[in-house]
Amino acid sequence: MLGSASPARLSTLRAAGLDPEVIVSGVAEDGIAADSPAALAATLAELKAGAVAARLLADPHPAAGVTIVIGCDSVLELDGVAYGRPASAEAARAGWRRMRGATGVLHTGHRVIVLPDGAPGSGTGIPEVRAVTGTGSTVVRFARPTDEEIDAYVATGEPLRVAGGFTLDGLGGAFVDRVEGDPHNVVGISLPLLRTLLAGLGIKWIDLWQ
């Protein structure tokens, strides 16, 4: 189960051989605080995965077999400040004026929860539930788009749908000079980190291939 509405995360997992069912968590990101941008990404991932797991645990007719819930959330750290999705076109434009020529860090929190076969649902969790959290961080070096390019990019609407107001795998990729670290993490889900987290819970990555 993927607790995210992000089409980029879903397509990344599908390209890697997984085919998760999507259950949108419904967690509101506004008003959540943490000690650092990286911690914020992890906290949001935990909340999203937890909301989906609680919904599944509350189901009086749970699905047969072990269920894996994956929750992710990304934030861009720039000068120590965390930026999620821009709230408006003007915010996206202002963000890009800050970002151009700068270096930031894209943090993606990952929360994996494993629900046992036929787990009874109380909505509060049970002892057999296993979970782990990890955060991937990738350095992003931005190009210097002109004001005209920024306005045109914001007008596409893409920046309003993604953390930090940019993509690596979409129209915004032309405005990123390079990344240092896992590029999948910038897209929204780190495949190497996810594989490691699953292995820690006794789940083999290759067993999840469809």
Side-chain angles (χ1 to χ4, degrees):
M1 300 287 182
L2 176 62
S4 171
S6 167
R9 291 191 180 106
L10 179 60
S11 63
T12 298
L13 288 174
R14 284 178 171 169
L18 283 65
D19 189 22
E21 178 182 344
V22 173
I23 300 180
V24 179
S25 68
V27 171
E29 300 176 9
D30 297 337
I32 305 299
D35 292 337
S36 68
L40 177 60
T43 297
L44 289 168
E46 290 174 349
L47 290 172
K48 290 184 175 183
V52 173
R55 196 179 311 170
L56 295 172
L57 287 167
D59 188 344
H61 305 290
V66 172
T67 299
I68 302 170
V69 178
I70 301 170
C72 295
D73 202 272
S74 301
V75 299
L76 174 67
E77 179 179 357
L78 197 65
D79 296 327
V81 179
Y83 296 95
R85 287 191 298 270
S88 65
E90 186 51 45
R93 277 190 288 271
W96 262 102
R97 292 184 184 115
R98 285 191 301 269
M99 290 154 53
R100 60 180 168 191
T103 298
V105 181
L106 196 290
H107 302 287
T108 297
H110 300 64
R111 176 71 164 179
V112 180
I113 302 176
V114 179
L115 307 179
D117 186 6
S122 66
T124 59
I126 57 177
E128 293 87 352
V129 171
R130 294 173 292 146
V132 65
T133 302
T135 302
S137 300
T138 303
V139 175
V140 182
R141 301 190 184 280
F142 294 101
R144 294 181 178 275
T146 65
D147 285 346
E148 180 185 14
E149 289 174 320
I150 291 174
D151 289 343
Y153 181 44
V154 171
T156 68
E158 182 179 271
L160 302 179
R161 299 189 292 267
V162 290
F166 78 100
T167 63
L168 188 62
D169 58 334
L171 297 174
F175 306 132
V176 176
D177 275 345
R178 64 185 183 275
V179 300
E180 298 171 11
D182 178 15
H184 292 110
N185 190 63
V186 182
V187 175
I189 187 165
S190 172
L191 299 178
L193 176 56
L194 182 58
R195 172 181 167 273
T196 299
L197 294 176
L198 288 165
L201 294 172
I203 298 169
K204 296 179 181 179
W205 180 259
I206 56 176
D207 288 344
L208 300 178
W209 285 345
Q210 299 296 307

